[in-house]
């Protein structure tokens, strides 16, 4: 039998007579007391607290003494060696993106691995040089180098004095150059470039630590997965475009400003006749070998347990061939040049340059920590342990702050290398120390051997590493079937990142994804519910078959928060669903009543008029329901406009003889309704207007002989 039996109705009415569930009384503390308590807790100093702070800041002191050598060492050493081998060619190659000399990529990889070993909470994340970060750094570096008046030809080793005193350039650029000369009198082009990168990296690290201290990690919540994927894919298109000139051996300066992808391809086709065929043939061979290696790795990943060192083999063979064939001398092929051994003395990043890059460091900081935290949490969940997101922000911040004093640039966690670590038996961050030692060997002994390495080979390594991001284009049809809105977010972010700039693309992606959320809440799904036979449950009658409508009752569900932006949609949807708009019905009745009274007055023909009452049957329209139940279970919050809307609904429907009651309100919604006096003075109507379940509301409504007419507002 559908609905509520008489026994159920009596039990429900008896239970309501006892009263609703009693809320716990929570004693609210004053804001001043809360601030005072937090200050005392955070600013107090004691030996246990100092010890706790230090162990929290350096998690290594907690897990390293418990290190299980026999169980962990083999996996850590193997994964560390493999990552180190992968890091060497990538560290050199990604410097092309950053507009820096190869040695700085090796410095970055070395220091970031060591620092994360001490401060990171993830066991598997690989922190170091990352193509996206390198691209964003390179755009800032190239812009500042260009504004400084240096020759943008990458094969030119130019000193700042040559720019300022040779009479080339306009007056404004000369003024800028003179200012730079005062700041960097000892610098040439490469020195000035790493000075910009170091200042940018220091600021990004400081921003990240400040975000951790101020608990601003929630910012990453607004970076949705489709938006980040679209951003990464758009940036990959930019990286591919920037590297394409190296494949052809073209010496084209990187475009400054918006539209890098479009302008660069136009310049490439304009200069296509200047293609260096030595670089073109080398690129074709290297890409073929690299792609074949990746395909073999993917196809036989179950049999091949460790990644093939394809990049290292290509770099080694290409360097040997370039050296003995003298490709630079005979065919003018661009090469990496001299890479010094050892470490350059540390230097404080230029404070004078920081105002020029302060704004550029913000997207770097946000993207860097967003990728690091998300990867840390993803692999922690996969391997059954937990990480501390706030400490991850501090760790990646110091992975940028400290290396900036040692001529390094911005770092982040990298997905590809992290997946390799996880798949090759990594157990702890000891593997990062092993990887750092591999890089250290190159820094101390083997760096000069890469002198003859062609830049086109490095570009091939970068382009092939983009396979994963570019494969996202193949997933668009599937993603469209799963979620059209997320696909649109991906496409908008990808297009703006590729066609305008990565920074603007990031901003557009964040804003557009938030707009999509707002639009979804403004136009949510609504439903009329029916009864599931032989249960106490109710569901959407449009989505499910064999649901029974409740006699004389309409159950309406609004699947979104109710606030100022969607209150009009709520009203329109409600009126449409129940086929009754109370204001129009009230107006109709008033017109009929007026006509009836006029007709009655004419019949009296001047005699004493009666009270003018007209039979309600002549005016009222017979409805097929007497109660509306609002299922509030999907309504997570309601603002003052939403409360006012519900009060208006309650009042308007009461005037046409229809009762409105609520069901399944959470405590947040109930508190808002209480503050808005929805339940009347002293909350006297709360037991009659709010129920804990839809079924109890249905039992109450079907147990009423007539609609409730007493005032509740």
């Amino acid at each position: 039998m559908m609905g509520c039996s008489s026994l159920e109705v009596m039990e429900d009415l008896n239970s309501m007579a006892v009263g609703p569930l009693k809320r716990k009384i929570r004693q609210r503390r004053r804001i001043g007391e809360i601030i005072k308590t937090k200050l005392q807790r955070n600013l107090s100093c004691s030996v246990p607290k100092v010890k706790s702070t230090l162990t929290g800041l350096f998690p290594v002191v907690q897990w390293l003494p418990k290190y299980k050598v026999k169980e962990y060492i083999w996996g850590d050493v193997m994964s560390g060696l493999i990552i180190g081998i992968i890091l060497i060619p990538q560290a050199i190659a990604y410097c092309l993106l950053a507009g820096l000399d190869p040695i700085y990529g090796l410095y970055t990889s070395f220091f970031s691995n060591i620092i994360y070993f001490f401060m990171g909470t993830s066991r598997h994340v690989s922190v170091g040089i990352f193509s996206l970060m390198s691209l964003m750094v390179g755009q800032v570096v190239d812009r500042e180098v260009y504004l400084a008046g240096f020759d943008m030809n990458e094969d030119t080793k130019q000193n700042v004095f040559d720019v300022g005193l040779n009479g080339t350039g306009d007056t404004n650029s000369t003024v800028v150059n003179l200012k730079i000369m005062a700041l960097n009198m000892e610098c040439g082009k490469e020195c000035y470039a790493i000075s910009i990168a170091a200042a940018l990296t220091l600021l990004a690290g400081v921003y990240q630590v400040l975000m951790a201290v101020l608990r601003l990690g929630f910012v990453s919540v607004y970076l949705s997965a489709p938006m980040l994927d679209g951003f990464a894919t758009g940036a990959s298109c930019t990286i591919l475009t920037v590297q394409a000139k190296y494949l052809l051996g073209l010496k084209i300066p990187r475009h400054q400003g918006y539209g890098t992808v479009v302008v660069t391809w136009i310049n490439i086709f304009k200069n296509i006749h200047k293609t260096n065929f030595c670089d073109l043939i080398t690129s074709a061979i290297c890409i073929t070998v690299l792609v074949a290696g990746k395909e073999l790795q993917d196809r036989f990943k179950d049999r091949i347990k460790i990644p093939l060192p394809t990049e290292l083999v290509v770099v080694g063979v290409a360097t040997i061939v370039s050296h003995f064939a003298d490709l630079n001398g005979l065919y003018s092929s661009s090469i990496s040049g001299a890479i010094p051994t050892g470490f350059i003395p540390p230097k404080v990043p230029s404070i004078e340059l920081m105002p020029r890059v302060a704004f550029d460091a913000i997207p770097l900081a946000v993207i860097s920590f967003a990728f690091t935290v998300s990867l840390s949490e993803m692999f922690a969940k996969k391997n059954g342990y937990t990480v501390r997101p706030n400490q991850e922000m501090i760790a990646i911040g110091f992975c940028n702050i400290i290396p900036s004093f040692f001529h390094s640039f911005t770092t982040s966690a990298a997905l590809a290398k992290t997946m390799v670590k996880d798949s090759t038996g990594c157990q702890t961050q000891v593997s990062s120390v092993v990887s750092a030692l591999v890089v250290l060997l190159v820094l101390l002994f083997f760096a000069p051997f890469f002198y003859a390495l062609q830049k086109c080979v490095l570009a091939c390594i970068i382009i092939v590493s983009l396979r994963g991001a570019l494969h996202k284009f193949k997933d668009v049809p599937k993603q469209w079937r799963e979620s059209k809105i997320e696909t649109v977010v991906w496409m908008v972010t990808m297009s703006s990142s590729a066609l305008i700039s990565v920074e603007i693309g990031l901003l557009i992606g964040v804003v557009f994804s938030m707009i999509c959320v707002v639009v979804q809440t403004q136009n949510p799904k609504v439903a009329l519910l029916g009864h599931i036979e032989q249960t106490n449950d109710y569901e959407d009658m449009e989505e499910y078959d064999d649901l029974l409508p409740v006699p004389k009752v309409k159950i309406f569900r609004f699947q979104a928060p109710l606030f100022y932006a969607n209150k009009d949609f709520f009203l329109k949807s409600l009126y449409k669903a129940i086929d009754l708009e109370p204001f129009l019905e009230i107006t109709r009745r008033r017109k009929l009543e007026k006509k009836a009274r006029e007709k009655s007055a004419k019949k009296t023909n001047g005699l004493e008029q009666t009270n003018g009452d007209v039979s309600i049957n002549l005016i009222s329209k017979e409805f097929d329901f007497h109660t509306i139940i609002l299922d509030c279970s999907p309504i997570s919050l309601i603002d003052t406009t939403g409360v006012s809307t519900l009060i208006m609904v309650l009042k308007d429907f009461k005037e046409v003889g229809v009762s409105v009651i609520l069901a399944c309100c959470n405590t947040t919604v109930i508190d808002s309704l209480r503050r808005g006096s929805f339940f009347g003075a002293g909350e006297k109507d709360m037991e009659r207007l709010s129920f804990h379940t839809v079924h109890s509301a249905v039992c109450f409504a079907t147990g009423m002989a007539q609609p409730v007419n007493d005032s509740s507002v």
Side-chain angles (χ1 to χ4, degrees):
M1 180 179 176
M2 183 198 66
C4 302
S5 66
S6 59
L7 180 61
E8 285 178 311
V9 172
M10 291 303 298
E11 288 177 350
D12 193 73
L13 293 174
N14 290 335
S15 66
M16 286 189 295
V18 177
L21 288 175
K22 292 185 178 181
R23 292 280 297 277
K24 290 182 178 180
I25 299 176
R26 300 184 182 274
Q27 187 175 3
R28 294 190 175 184
R29 300 169 62 190
R30 296 178 180 177
I31 296 178
E33 293 179 359
I34 296 174
I35 295 174
K36 182 179 179 181
T37 303
K38 288 188 175 182
L39 288 176
Q40 288 176 347
R41 184 172 65 248
N42 294 329
L43 299 180
S44 61
C45 185
S46 63
V47 174
K49 185 169 183 181
V50 171
K51 183 179 179 181
S52 174
T53 301
L54 290 176
T55 54
L57 192 60
F58 299 100
V60 66
V61 301
Q62 292 179 315
W63 62 262
L64 191 59
K66 304 174 185 177
Y67 188 81
K68 300 175 183 179
V69 178
K70 293 182 179 179
E71 186 177 345
Y72 293 164
I73 192 65
W74 175 248
D76 284 340
V77 170
M78 282 300 298
S79 65
L81 286 173
I82 292 168
I83 292 298
I85 291 171
I86 294 173
L87 269 176
I88 294 167
Q90 286 191 355
I92 297 173
Y94 288 165
C95 285
L96 279 182
L97 283 173
L100 302 169
D101 286 348
I103 189 67
Y104 302 124
L106 296 172
Y107 289 160
T108 303
S109 300
F110 173 76
F111 286 110
S112 59
N113 275 281
I114 293 295
I115 294 167
Y116 192 81
F117 165 77
F118 286 103
M119 303 188 72
T121 59
S122 172
R123 302 175 192 172
H124 296 84
V125 160
S126 176
V127 173
I129 198 165
F130 183 38
S131 60
L132 182 55
M133 295 295 104
S134 300
L135 172 67
M136 297 176 74
V137 169
Q139 289 182 329
V140 178
V141 168
D142 282 359
R143 183 195 70 205
E144 293 301 320
V145 168
Y146 173 78
L147 291 176
F150 288 102
D151 188 350
M152 297 304 292
N153 186 346
E154 296 180 11
D155 294 331
T156 301
K157 308 294 182 182
Q158 188 180 23
N159 189 282
V160 72
F161 287 105
D162 300 332
V163 183
L165 302 178
N166 64 5
T168 61
D170 56 23
T171 306
N172 293 331
S173 65
T174 304
V175 173
V176 174
N177 294 334
L178 292 174
K179 291 180 180 179
I180 295 169
M181 287 169 58
L183 298 175
N184 303 279
M185 294 190 67
E186 79 283 2
C187 265
K189 177 182 173 182
E190 288 72 26
C191 174
Y192 185 67
I194 190 58
S195 297
I196 291 291
L200 181 68
T201 301
L202 176 61
L203 284 175
V206 170
Y207 291 160
Q208 288 167 334
V209 173
L210 286 175
M211 291 170 72
V213 171
L214 298 175
R215 298 292 195 273
L216 297 179
F218 69 88
V219 174
S220 63
V221 173
Y222 299 102
L223 305 177
S224 64
M227 191 278 295
L228 284 176
D229 283 344
F231 175 70
T233 306
S236 298
C237 294
T238 304
I239 293 171
L240 173 64
T241 300
V242 170
Q243 297 304 300
K245 63 180 182 180
Y246 295 107
L247 303 183
L248 303 174
L250 300 176
K251 295 177 172 58
I252 304 172
R254 185 182 294 186
H255 172 68
Q256 305 300 317
Y258 303 134
T260 297
V261 170
V262 176
V263 175
T264 301
W265 281 112
I266 291 174
N267 289 335
I268 287 174
F269 284 110
K270 282 183 178 179
N271 294 274
I272 197 73
H273 60 282
K274 299 178 182 178
T275 297
N276 187 309
F277 287 97
C278 175
D279 285 344
L280 180 61
I281 295 171
T282 303
S283 300
I285 296 172
C286 290
I287 289 178
T288 302
V289 174
L290 289 168
V291 171
K294 297 290 183 183
E295 291 296 327
L296 283 174
Q297 184 75 52
D298 293 342
R299 183 169 297 183
F300 301 103
K301 58 184 177 182
D302 295 332
R303 300 181 185 178
I304 305 174
K305 299 300 181 182
I306 60 175
L308 299 173
T310 315
E311 290 92 344
L312 190 63
V313 171
V314 167
V315 166
V317 173
T319 303
I320 294 172
V321 171
S322 177
H323 173 73
F324 287 103
D326 191 19
L327 299 182
N328 175 246
L330 295 177
Y331 304 103
S332 301
S333 180
S334 296
I335 59 175
S336 298
I339 304 177
T341 56
F343 290 90
I344 301 174
K347 179 182 177 182
V348 178
S350 174
I351 297 175
E352 291 84 358
L353 293 175
M354 290 182 188
R356 301 178 64 88
V357 297
F359 183 77
D360 300 296
I362 296 175
L364 272 170
V366 173
I367 291 298
S368 175
F369 96 76
F371 274 105
T372 302
V373 171
S374 60
L375 285 178
S376 299
E377 291 179 335
M378 181 172 67
F379 282 89
K381 183 178 180 180
K382 178 183 177 183
N383 291 279
Y385 63 93
T386 58
V387 294
R388 290 184 286 131
N390 216 57
Q391 177 60 27
E392 287 296 299
M393 290 173 62
I394 293 175
I396 196 64
F398 278 99
C399 283
N400 287 319
I401 292 174
I402 297 175
S404 68
F405 291 83
F406 295 89
H407 313 281
S408 302
F409 54 95
T410 313
T411 59
S412 169
L415 175 61
K417 291 191 283 290
T418 302
M419 291 179 66
V420 170
K421 287 183 74 170
D422 181 54
S423 64
T424 52
C426 173
Q427 299 292 329
T428 67
Q429 284 298 330
V430 169
S431 62
S432 294
V433 177
V434 177
S435 300
L437 291 176
V438 174
V439 176
L440 182 62
L441 285 175
V442 175
L443 278 169
L444 296 179
F445 303 108
F446 302 115
F449 292 104
F450 296 103
Y451 173 86
L453 179 60
Q454 293 166 272
K455 288 184 178 180
C456 64
V457 176
L458 301 176
C460 292
I461 293 173
I462 294 172
I463 290 172
V464 174
S465 71
L466 302 175
R467 288 169 69 248
L470 296 177
H471 276 172
K472 295 289 183 180
F473 285 105
K474 294 170 59 178
D475 299 334
V476 171
K478 179 183 176 183
Q479 190 178 12
W480 178 261
R481 290 191 296 270
E482 293 175 353
S483 174
K484 292 179 174 57
I485 291 179
E486 291 188 357
T487 307
V488 172
V489 170
W490 182 89
M491 294 177 68
V492 169
T493 309
M494 183 276 299
S495 302
S496 55
S497 299
L499 300 178
I500 304 175
S501 72
V502 289
E503 294 86 1
I504 298 298
L506 175 63
L507 179 61
I508 290 175
V510 171
V511 173
F512 185 76
S513 59
M514 293 177 68
I515 290 174
C516 288
V517 172
V518 173
V519 169
Q520 285 178 292
T521 58
Q522 282 185 298
N523 298 277
K525 181 176 174 56
V526 297
L528 278 180
L529 306 187
H531 180 243
I532 304 175
E533 197 170 10
Q534 297 181 348
T535 70
N536 294 336
D537 300 321
Y538 301 81
E539 261 304 340
D540 186 351
M541 290 195 294
E542 287 189 358
E543 298 293 339
Y544 296 94
D545 294 326
D546 303 324
L547 295 181
L548 303 174
V550 180
K552 299 295 184 180
V553 175
K554 298 284 188 181
I555 308 172
F556 179 77
R557 176 186 289 167
F558 186 74
Q559 299 180 184
L562 180 57
F563 62 111
Y564 69 94
N566 63 8
K567 59 104 174 175
D568 290 332
F569 182 81
F570 169 79
L571 292 173
K572 291 178 182 178
S573 302
L574 175 61
Y575 298 155
K576 182 178 179 181
I578 65 174
D579 194 23
L580 173 61
E581 192 163 348
F583 178 79
L584 296 180
E585 177 62 20
I586 293 169
T587 304
R588 187 189 71 83
R589 290 186 180 186
R590 287 173 180 171
K591 288 181 179 179
L592 288 176
E593 185 177 354
K594 183 179 178 181
K595 289 180 180 179
R597 286 179 176 174
E598 290 175 353
K599 188 175 182 180
S600 176
K602 289 179 180 179
K603 285 182 179 180
T604 58
N605 197 19
L607 299 177
E608 184 179 353
Q609 188 173 346
T610 62
N611 57 8
D613 290 339
V614 182
S615 174
I616 193 68
N617 293 327
L618 297 176
I619 300 174
S620 299
K621 178 182 178 182
E622 192 67 29
F623 304 127
D624 60 349
F625 62 94
H626 58 66
T627 303
I628 299 172
I629 299 174
L630 300 180
D631 178 10
C632 301
S633 56
I635 300 178
S636 57
L637 59 90
I638 182 171
D639 66 356
T640 54
T641 304
V643 174
S644 300
T645 301
L646 290 183
I647 292 174
M648 182 186 72
V649 167
L650 192 69
K651 182 179 179 181
D652 289 349
F653 278 103
K654 175 179 169 293
E655 290 189 28
V656 296
V658 176
S659 298
V660 177
I661 57 179
L662 310 182
C664 304
C665 297
N666 62 46
T667 55
T668 303
V669 171
I670 289 176
D671 289 340
S672 298
L673 294 173
R674 279 174 167 168
R675 289 191 293 268
S677 301
F678 177 81
F679 301 113
E683 301 177 3
K684 62 184 179 66
D685 296 322
M686 185 169 183
E687 295 180 20
R688 187 180 61 81
L689 293 177
S690 179
F691 296 84
H692 294 292
T693 65
V694 173
H695 188 65
S696 61
V698 170
C699 289
F700 176 80
T702 55
M704 293 189 299
Q706 295 292 336
V708 179
N709 291 321
D710 57 317
S711 175
S712 60
V713 182

